[in-house]
Structures are given as structure tokens and as C-alpha cells.
Amino acid sequence: MNSDEDPKAGGGGHDNRNIRGNQREAAAVENVASGAGGLSQSELDELVASSDTGARTPAGWVGRLILIVAFCWSLFQIWIASPLPFILEVGIFDETQKRSFHLAFAMFLAYLAYPAERSPIQMGLALGVPIILTLLFINAGPSGSMWWIALIGIGIVVAIVLGSPKNWVPPWEWALAIVSVCCALYIYFFYDEIARRIGRPITQDLVIAVAGLLLLLEVTRRALGPALTVVASVFLIYTFLGPYMPSIIAHGGNSLAEVANHQWITTQGVFGIALGVSTSFVFLFVLFGALLDKAGAGNYFIQVAFSLMGHMRGGPAKAAVVSSAMTGLISGSSIANVVTTGTFTIPLMKKVGFSSEKAGAVEVASSVNGQIMPPVMGAAAFLMVEYVGIPYFDVVKHAFIPATISYIALVYIVHLEAMKAGMQGLPRPYEPGPWMRRLVGFVFGVMLICALSMFVYYGMGWIRPTFGGAAPYIIFALLCAAYVALVWVGSREAPLEIDDPNAEVTELPMPGPTVRSGLYYILPVVVLVWALMVDRLSPGLSAFWATAFMIFILLTQRPLMVMLRGEDRHGITSVGGALKAGVGDLVDGMISGARNMIGIGIATATAGIIVGAVSQTGVGSALADVVEVLSGGHLLAILLLTAVLSLILGMGLPTTANYIVVSALLAPVIVTLGQQNGLIVPLIAVHLFVFYFGIMADVTPPVGLASFAAAAVSGGDPIKTGVVAFFYSLRTAALPFLFIFNTDLLLIEVGWIHGIFVFVTATVAMLLFAAATQGWFITRNNILESVALLLVAFTIFRPGFWMDMVAPPWDDRPPAELAQALEESPVGEPFRLVVAGLNDVGDPVEFRVQLPVPEGETGEDRLAALGVETIQNGDEVIIDNVAFDTPAQEAGLDWDQQILQVRAPAEAPSKYWMYIPAFALLALVIWMQRRRAGPGEATPVQRAAAA
């Protein structure tokens, strides 16, 4: 697929803007995909458009208006992200005002670009939601607002009944779009008045809030399907009907004034953190990806992956995995990623022996995981920055090992599938040299990259203090020089052609020329990673500088190619024509980025309704009690419940909305139950757990719509494709459970050497897990061998599970020996206390806290360093005081709590001794399989040759 010429196929961003819940369209896709040839290119483009940019394409001035508004949205977002407003002292907006404009753009474009679904279920929902909510608003509101609210509800219902054509925008939809803009901008225009009467809304506030909520729910149904609309509506209904709920989740109920103020007028609901992250961070990353794709990077990534890996066993499938990982930088949409890379990779996978279902499943499994791959992850990763309260650098660091080994394992799964079927790779256009020469060349290349990286790192460290205020200009000049040099290198190679996946493949492209032809595409990614990881700038500012450099590349790459090569990649030979084409690419990329943001903006705003209802009603604490009852207080049970809930909600919610809902409801519950079960679960681990299972919902049948998109390309059965993709993705489903219990996988409090060790061992374990679940290692597994491989993988992942049974890591002491135990413990080691106290609602609770042993001469000194004062009454030890901003306060200790038990670190052998029996068992499996795969049994290649 030509990612250079299709603004709808890529488009950056990092959310899963899906055709959620659109069952009728999915069924149509399934029917067409069941045929022999799959969907045509135009049908695939329409599928991506319906999920990411809107299926309505009106002609004439209305179509041009949509493009102009989208372009203006991108300009607005670049302006507020740049330092220019503060330099020029013009156009400065505070965070609330930015969110107001962001939502106004998103709702206006959504009403114009997304026609309403007319199926009976959708129509019933469309009419039912505004009618029910309008009645609740009228009943809960003051009498003065009753007629206004009734008029709003009637107007929305009438507009829905009149219909929503796909090829033009009727007057009533213009009305909905314009009124939604007015409601979104209300906070901006009446900002000062609202600030003066904060907490005391007037009738005008109530009317605007009601209209805004109803219009937001209706546009959510259009753009994202019914599921998120239903979930948000249920939470709104719960807010009003709290007294009538079952006692365990009942609350006092809220009036219309309270709900309107909380949900629309303040930043606790719709205009809350989620919409703020979409405004400040996500849009710029979406735009960066769209511009990168428009420059031609999408095709470049695919070609590079094929040139490097296409010759291996099942080479096209391995290349699909790698190219999808790289395309994750460009497209955070699972469907767009599947269609962008899949139109090229899936036919080639089928040519080397993969069935339609397996080819589609490989593409689905690799495309969906693009959101978990650092350094640029999904939109939920930016929400973690706000919800967990850690820098984005730390989020990337914690997510690195799970994401990397997940992709390595998928490449290995493809290799196993190729071995089962005796597949070969595609022919390559050169004879490889001796393996020693290749190894030396690889090592030399790695050393060269490391040396270059160190030169850049220390060179930047020298330039800044040496040149002071002039340093940014010098750095930009050096960056431009590197860019021009890499463009010159690329100009010496033939431009990359957009290969026809249906043409006969005779040989692969040469790796060297293919890599060199587009090295300059890496520069903006380097700028982004440098700003995020080295300079530690905010995600928004990092994305701004990367986007600014990407704009510079789009405007200059074609004229430079004309000057250096004589023509650009599309055959333009004049500098003026090339510059004009570059401006066109920039405009198209800006429009594409904005249109791809519509779904994210709507999703984050609607998810804000749910978060606002949780904070207003206190349902989180009530839900904790419900979950504790269902799980019996066991952490593993609540993790399973959370995983199932994420999968169920993910069938209808975009990944970002799914993450917001589940993390808001269950993340605190998991942490609390972990404390009560003796496991200190870091908050980032819980949030990543929820994020991973939200992504898994895109794969899981029967509603894994990424699987439907892949089947549309491959011509295979969508449900079978989803089932195979689910089994390929079991590695992704296993990882969250593992890093909850072994936080070393998240590099939490892990040094560099230990981190490398964890990466290597975790990769080995994940490969063994893949071999066990795929039923093939050296040869086909029997049941006992699969079980043994699973046991070995689990032991490598979590050796402490077995070692704790052999040698407990804790020395349990009575509370009276607290000071003595602290004095005898090594400094820096974890020290645990079992504590009894009260939870947030005043109910008695028992939990565990973990504290680092501080420095101090005596136990009393160390206790004071922790910030704890105790009193002893017989055998009881009561916490008398906890100092502010101390380790004890951060751990959750408070006055009047009782210490029930002291758990001091005990001397125990290293948990890694458990690797010895694990690798011994692995050696036994290898020996058994090698015996079976000996002369008495034909290898897969021999069987294929015989056939």
C-alpha cells in the first residue's frame, strides 16, 4: 500500500481509533473477506477512513471546509505547544482554555465527518440515551431550567430521527455541530464569570452543560460506536440514582447543579486530565506521525524490514513484525497499521506458505503491539504520566523490556510456524559472505553506532556550556548539516518503489541501498527521543520540536532531491515544482493528523464523564468492596477479574478510554489488595497491566476489529484469524501477570548490569513460553514437554516463587522488637510492617507496607529517619506520629495505627540458584526432542521436499 499517497492509512497518533461496536459494518467486512480476493484498495481505504477519519466525504465547499478546519486545528495545536506565545506575548491560553478549543474542534469535525449508523440497535440507543438522560436532568434540576432542557433533548432526538446521509451534511447536523462548538467554548468565553461563581452554577450553566453532555454522547456514538456511549450514560444515571442502587454501591445522589458543575463547568469531568493529555501531548505525537508518514517513512520502514529479514524462514512474516513495530512510530491505530503494512506483507506471507488466517494473524499480533513499543507508545502512556505522577522517561523505561521481548517472541513464533511447514524465505539478490565476516561486520556496525552516540552525547554536553545562549542555533545548524548529508547519501540511491504485493516476487531489495535511501527519516525520531530521554523535556515540548523539524524536512526534502539527483521520488524535475509539492505534502499531513485525532479527542472527553462520576460519587471505594467480595481477597483473582473486564470493555471502547475507565476503577483496588496480601505492587505496574489488556481486546474474538481488517486484506475468515492472533498474543497476555509479581521486568530499582541480565533471561523465558504454547520447539512437543517448557519459563521469569518456599526471605519478629530489627538489618534493604488501621471510609483493614532501611547508629535513629514515632502498651505497638514528607508517610503509615508484625529481611540464598534445576530440565527437553528429530524422523524441510 502506498503510504506516501494515502493520507488515511497512516497518520500517527497513539490511540486505537476504531470502528468500535459497528457490528453491521464488521459483518459486511467479514462477508467480503470470506471471498477469494479480499477487499480492493479503495474498499480498504474506506475501511480505514470509517475508523480513523470519518466515512462522510461531502463534495464541494463542505468537503473543503472540513479540510480547512482540520488544518486550522493542527495550526492551533502547534501554536499552543510552541514557545512563541510567551515570546510574543500573544495568544496565551491556560490549560482549561486549551481543552475548550480542543474539544470544540473535535466535536465540530466529528459531526461533519461521521454520519450516524442507522441500524435498529444503533437507532434505539441513539433515541434512548437522550430521552432517558433528559428526563433525569429535568427531574434533578431546578424548575427554571426544565423547559430549556426539554427543548434541548427534543432537538437532539428530532435531528437523530431525520437521519444522517453519508454524502452530504443536512441542516440539522450543521445545527448539532455549531451548538456543540458553542458548548465546548462556553468555558473560554465565560471564563472570568465562571471563576467568580465557582461552585454556584446559574441556569445558563446548567443548560449549556446539559446540551454539551448530550451532544458529546451522541457524537461519541457516531465516531466510536455505542459501547463508550452506554458506559458513560450508565455512570451519569448512577450519579443521579445513587439512593436507589444496591446498598453496597449506593450513595446520596446528586442534583443537576452538582453534576453540571462537576462534569462540564469545572475540570473534574469532561475537561479533566484525560482531555488535557489529549490536548497537550497526544495531538502533537499524532501530527508528528502523520507528517513522518507523508514524507515517505512508512514505505521506507517496510522496505528496510523486508530487505533485512525477507530471506529468512518465513521471512515476509518476520519482516511484517519488524515493519509493524517501526510503523508504530507513525500509526497508533491498530486498523491503520494492519492495512498500511498488511496490504504488502500479507500477500507475501501467503506466497511463502502461510494460510490466509495465519498471515492475517501475524499482521494483527504485530500491529496491535505497536502501541506498547517505546519510545513512542500509545496515548495511554501519556495519561500514565499524569495518573501515576512519574516522568515519561520512567514510563518508557518501565515498558521497555516487556514490549521488546514481546516482539522478539513474535518473531520466534513466526519462525516456529515456518519450521512446522518447512517454509523458506524469499530469494535475495546477493550471495552472503562467510558467517565470520558477517559477524565482524555486525560487531563493527554496533561499535560505530555506539561511538557515534557517545560523540553526539558528549558533544552536546560540551556545546551547551561553551556557547551559552547561542547553543540552540549551533545545534540546529549541525542537525541541518547532518540532514543534508544524509539526503545526499539517499540521493545516490534509486528512489524506493511502492511494490505491488500481487506481483511475482523474484528477489528482495538490496539491504545497503535500501537502508541508505532514507536514513534522514531517522533524524526527527532521534530529535524526539533525545528531547524525551536525554533533555527530559515534557512530552508535549519534545513532540513540538520533533514536529517542527519534520515540517522542515517536508518542505526541503523534495527540492534537495531535485538539486542532488535531478528529480524527486515522484519524478518532479524543477525546484519550484518540488517546493510546491512539499507544501502540499505538509498541508495534507496537517489535515491527516487532525482528522486522525478526532476519535481520540472525543474518547478522552467522554471518558472524563466516567472519571468525573467516580470522583463525585465515591464509587471507587464501593467497587473495591465488591471486587474484594468477588475475588475473596486474593490478588490473583482480582487480576483475572481486571483482565476480563478490560477485554470486555475493549470490545467496545478505544484503548485509551478503556485504560481510563479500568484504571480509575480498579488500579487503586489492586494496589490495596496487594498490600493486604503481602505484595507491594507499584502503581506503574498496575497501570501497565490495564494498558496491556486494553490492547489485547483488539485481538480477542469475536469483536477484535483489527482481525476483521486483516481478514479483509487476506481474504481469510475473520473469526479464525482472530483466534489464531489471540494464541499468537498469549505472550502479551502473560507478561502483565509476570511483571506484577516480578517488578524486575519493569526495571524498577534495577541497575544497568542487572537490567541487562533481566532482559536476557526474560527473553529466553518468553521464547520458551512461545515454544510451549505453539507446541513446537526443536520438533513437535508432546504434552509433558510443553508443560516442562512452561515450568522452565515460569521459573526463569520468577525464580523467587520457588526460592521463597525453600528459604523464606523474611524474618518475622514481634512488634516490640521493631527498633532492634531495624538496627540489625542492612542499610537499603526492604523492611516490611504488617499494620492494622482504617481505610478511607473508616472500616478496619490490615495491610503491609515496605520501607527501605535508612542509615542510623541505632534502631531508634533509623526509626526517626523513617519519620515514625511509636508508643508501646504491653505487647502492643501503636504509631503515635508520622512526620510530614517522610518515607513512612509515603508508604501509607498514619497515627493511631497498630503494628501487628515486623518482617525484617532474612539472610537467604540468591533466588537465581533456581536457574540450575530449570536449565537442567530444559536440557532434558532438548535431549528428548533431538532424539526424536534424529535419523528416524524426517525434518520439516525433508517432509516438504518429499511432498
Side-chain angles (χ1 to χ4, degrees):
M1 177 176 177
N2 186 347
S3 59
D4 295 340
E5 298 176 355
D6 179 18
K8 296 174 283 190
H14 295 298
D15 184 26
N16 215 352
R17 289 92 61 197
N18 298 326
I19 37 178
R20 298 290 189 177
N22 197 338
Q23 299 288 357
R24 191 175 72 175
E25 189 165 314
V29 171
E30 180 179 356
N31 292 335
V32 178
S34 302
L39 295 181
S40 67
Q41 186 62 58
S42 61
E43 290 170 320
L44 290 172
D45 292 345
E46 184 178 351
L47 173 63
V48 175
S50 66
S51 67
D52 287 351
T53 59
R56 180 148 52 198
T57 54
W61 68 271
V62 177
R64 289 193 294 272
L65 178 65
I66 293 175
L67 302 182
I68 291 170
V69 173
F71 182 77
C72 291
W73 191 9
S74 290
L75 285 180
F76 171 77
Q77 294 288 158
I78 292 174
W79 174 262
I80 63 175
S82 74
L84 288 177
F86 301 97
I87 295 174
L88 302 176
E89 298 184 354
V90 174
I92 300 174
F93 300 89
D94 71 11
E95 288 302 318
T96 305
Q97 294 169 330
K98 293 176 186 177
R99 297 172 192 180
S100 177
F101 275 97
H102 186 80
L103 182 60
F105 275 115
M107 292 181 70
F108 182 79
L109 288 172
Y111 270 112
L112 295 189
Y114 285 89
E117 174 63 42
R118 305 296 294 174
S119 68
I121 295 177
Q122 286 269 35
M123 280 299 296
L125 176 68
L127 296 174
V129 165
I131 291 172
I132 293 171
L133 288 177
T134 299
L135 293 175
L136 283 173
F137 290 147
I138 291 173
N139 183 65
S143 58
S145 64
M146 181 178 67
W147 296 111
W148 284 106
I149 294 173
L151 185 61
I152 292 168
I154 292 170
I156 292 175
V157 169
V158 169
I160 293 170
V161 171
L162 288 175
S164 182
K166 282 193 173 185
N167 56 353
W168 63 289
V169 182
W172 50 89
E173 300 226 327
W174 279 105
L176 295 179
I178 293 170
V179 174
S180 67
V181 170
C182 295
C183 293
L185 293 179
Y186 179 74
I187 291 180
Y188 172 76
F189 287 112
F190 293 88
Y191 188 80
D192 294 333
E193 294 182 28
I194 291 172
R196 285 194 294 268
R197 60 171 185 266
I198 190 71
R200 295 177 287 109
I202 61 176
T203 300
Q204 177 179 293
D205 297 340
L206 303 184
V207 172
I208 292 294
V210 168
L213 289 170
L214 291 176
L215 288 168
L216 177 60
L217 290 171
E218 166 58 16
V219 82
T220 301
R221 180 186 72 86
R222 293 164 177 249
L224 302 169
L228 184 55
T229 305
V230 170
V231 173
S233 301
V234 168
F235 274 86
L236 272 178
I237 294 170
Y238 171 74
T239 305
F240 289 108
L241 303 182
Y244 307 100
M245 295 290 118
S247 59
I248 194 169
I249 59 170
H251 65 94
N254 299 96
S255 67
L256 177 61
E258 293 170 335
V259 173
N261 184 70
H262 192 82
Q263 293 284 7
W264 198 268
I265 305 302
T266 69
T267 56
Q268 301 299 312
V270 171
F271 296 95
I273 290 176
L275 188 63
V277 170
S278 177
T279 305
S280 302
F281 302 160
V282 180
F283 192 103
L284 266 294
F285 281 89
V286 171
L287 183 59
F288 171 74
L291 296 177
L292 191 61
D293 180 63
K294 199 63 189 173
N299 179 57
Y300 173 71
F301 290 154
I302 295 173
Q303 298 283 358
V304 167
F306 268 85
S307 68
L308 295 176
M309 305 190 73
H311 65 280
M312 301 177 180
R313 282 183 184 269
K318 293 175 181 175
V321 175
V322 175
S323 61
S324 291
M326 292 189 292
T327 306
L329 286 171
I330 298 175
S331 173
S333 165
S334 299
I335 292 179
N337 199 341
V338 165
V339 173
T340 301
T341 59
T343 50
F344 182 64
T345 60
I346 288 174
L348 291 179
M349 281 189 266
K350 292 169 68 176
K351 286 181 181 178
V352 297
F354 283 87
S355 68
S356 297
E357 287 74 22
K358 286 186 177 181
V362 169
E363 184 59 50
V364 169
S366 53
S367 295
V368 167
N369 273 22
Q371 293 182 75
I372 66 174
M373 192 66 193
V376 183
M377 300 166 63
F382 302 108
L383 287 164
M384 287 180 206
V385 173
E386 301 296 325
Y387 288 159
V388 183
I390 61 176
Y392 185 73
F393 174 84
D394 289 341
V395 173
V396 169
K397 181 184 75 173
H398 297 321
F400 174 76
I401 285 184
T404 304
I405 64 176
S406 178
Y407 265 108
I408 292 173
L410 184 56
V411 173
Y412 183 60
I413 288 172
V414 168
H415 179 73
L416 293 176
E417 290 285 3
M419 288 183 65
K420 292 179 190 178
M423 298 178 193
Q424 297 299 314
L426 296 172
R428 52 185 169 186
Y430 63 95
E431 285 297 326
W435 68 269
M436 181 57 73
R437 185 192 303 169
R438 284 182 282 161
L439 179 61
V440 171
F442 174 76
V443 172
F444 177 77
V446 171
M447 292 175 63
L448 182 64
I449 293 173
C450 292
L452 183 62
S453 300
M454 292 180 64
F455 174 77
V456 172
Y457 181 80
Y458 288 106
M460 293 279 284
W462 172 77
I463 288 174
R464 285 176 174 166
T466 303
F467 294 96
Y473 302 101
I474 294 174
I475 292 171
F476 179 70
L478 292 174
L479 192 62
C480 289
Y483 164 62
V484 172
L486 291 177
V487 171
W488 176 80
V489 171
S491 70
R492 297 172 64 86
E493 308 296 342
L496 293 180
E497 299 293 334
I498 307 299
D499 289 336
D500 181 4
N502 296 312
E504 187 65 28
V505 179
T506 57
E507 61 182 26
L508 290 168
M510 291 285 289
T514 303
V515 172
R516 290 192 295 269
S517 66
L519 280 173
Y520 60 92
Y521 291 131
I522 307 298
L523 282 178
V525 180
V526 171
V527 170
L528 177 63
V529 174
W530 183 278
L532 282 171
M533 303 298 165
V534 180
D535 286 346
R536 304 289 185 92
L537 301 180
S538 70
L541 193 56
S542 300
F544 166 75
W545 290 118
T547 302
F549 189 60
M550 197 62 241
I551 292 173
F552 173 73
I553 288 177
L554 271 170
L555 292 175
T556 58
Q557 67 165 345
R558 289 192 180 209
L560 281 174
M561 281 294 179
V562 170
M563 289 186 284
L564 294 171
R565 183 193 284 156
E567 64 177 12
D568 71 356
R569 68 178 186 272
H570 291 304
I572 297 176
T573 57
S574 68
V575 173
L579 181 60
K580 182 179 179 181
V583 172
D585 287 343
L586 173 60
V587 172
D588 287 346
M590 299 269 278
I591 293 170
S592 177
R595 295 194 66 172
N596 282 327
M597 263 302 299
I598 296 172
I600 300 179
I602 298 299
T604 50
T606 308
I609 295 176
I610 300 165
V611 175
V614 171
S615 63
Q616 188 170 27
T617 62
V619 70
S621 299
L623 189 65
D625 294 335
V626 174
V627 171
E628 187 171 3
V629 170
L630 293 175
S631 64
H634 297 294
L635 181 61
L636 186 58
I638 188 179
L639 289 174
L640 288 170
L641 286 172
T642 304
V644 171
L645 178 62
S646 296
L647 290 174
I648 293 173
L649 289 177
M651 292 180 183
L653 271 60
T655 303
T656 301
N658 188 3
Y659 163 75
I660 293 170
V661 173
V662 180
S663 63
L665 293 175
L666 294 181
V669 181
I670 295 174
V671 173
T672 302
L673 282 183
Q675 284 185 313
Q676 295 175 14
N677 282 268
L679 182 68
I680 309 301
V681 184
L683 192 57
I684 181 63
V686 179
H687 281 259
L688 284 172
F689 182 94
V690 173
F691 183 33
Y692 268 58
F693 275 99
I695 292 170
M696 278 292 294
D698 262 355
V699 178
T700 310
V703 196
L705 292 183
S707 302
F708 280 88
V713 178
S714 70
D717 180 83
I719 300 299
K720 291 181 180 178
T721 301
V723 171
V724 176
F726 177 78
F727 280 102
Y728 286 167
S729 300
L730 282 177
R731 74 206 190 284
T732 306
L735 278 169
F737 288 97
L738 293 168
F739 61 59
I740 285 286
F741 292 99
N742 181 9
T743 56
D744 286 354
L745 290 172
L746 300 180
L747 299 179
I748 295 177
E749 298 179 2
V750 170
W752 278 102
I753 295 177
H754 189 196
I756 294 172
F757 173 77
V758 169
F759 174 73
V760 172
T761 54
T763 301
V764 172
M766 184 51 69
L767 296 183
L768 294 175
F769 177 83
T773 54
Q774 293 303 306
W776 193 283
F777 188 32
I778 297 172
T779 185
R780 190 175 302 279
N781 302 342
N782 58 39
I783 296 296
L784 291 179
E785 289 168 346
S786 291
V787 171
L789 289 174
L790 287 174
L791 186 61
V792 172
F794 176 76
T795 303
I796 297 175
F797 269 125
R798 199 183 168 206
F801 178 82
W802 307 111
M803 185 57 74
D804 290 353
M805 296 181 180
V806 177
W810 305 106
D811 180 15
D812 292 338
R813 313 266 297 261
E817 298 181 14
L818 172 60
Q820 181 184 349
L822 264 176
E823 184 176 343
E824 295 172 355
S825 299
V827 174
E829 290 295 311
F831 188 91
R832 290 189 177 185
L833 300 175
V834 181
V835 180
L838 302 177
N839 62 15
D840 295 337
V841 294
D843 295 329
V845 65
E846 182 180 313
F847 61 97
R848 292 156 178 80
V849 297
Q850 180 169 298
L851 300 162
V853 177
E855 295 184 354
E857 293 294 330
T858 65
E860 286 75 11
D861 292 339
R862 293 183 174 185
L863 199 59
L866 291 173
V868 178
E869 296 179 14
T870 62
I871 56 174
Q872 187 168 344
N873 183 14
D875 292 335
E876 292 185 352
V877 175
I878 307 297
I879 297 177
D880 189 44
N881 187 40
V882 175
F884 177 73
D885 196 24
T886 59
Q889 187 197 44
E890 292 178 3
L893 295 180
D894 206 349
W895 65 278
D896 212 26
Q897 292 174 342
Q898 181 181 353
I899 299 176
L900 302 178
Q901 191 177 56
V902 173
R903 311 199 76 188
E907 292 188 9
S910 172
K911 62 184 178 181
Y912 296 113
W913 284 110
M914 285 296 158
Y915 283 178
I916 295 177
F919 283 111
L921 181 59
L922 176 61
L924 177 62
V925 173
I926 293 173
W927 177 75
M928 293 171 62
Q929 293 213 347
R930 281 197 177 278
R931 284 188 62 191
R932 288 212 314 278
E937 179 178 328
T939 64
V941 176
Q942 291 169 334
R943 289 197 300 269

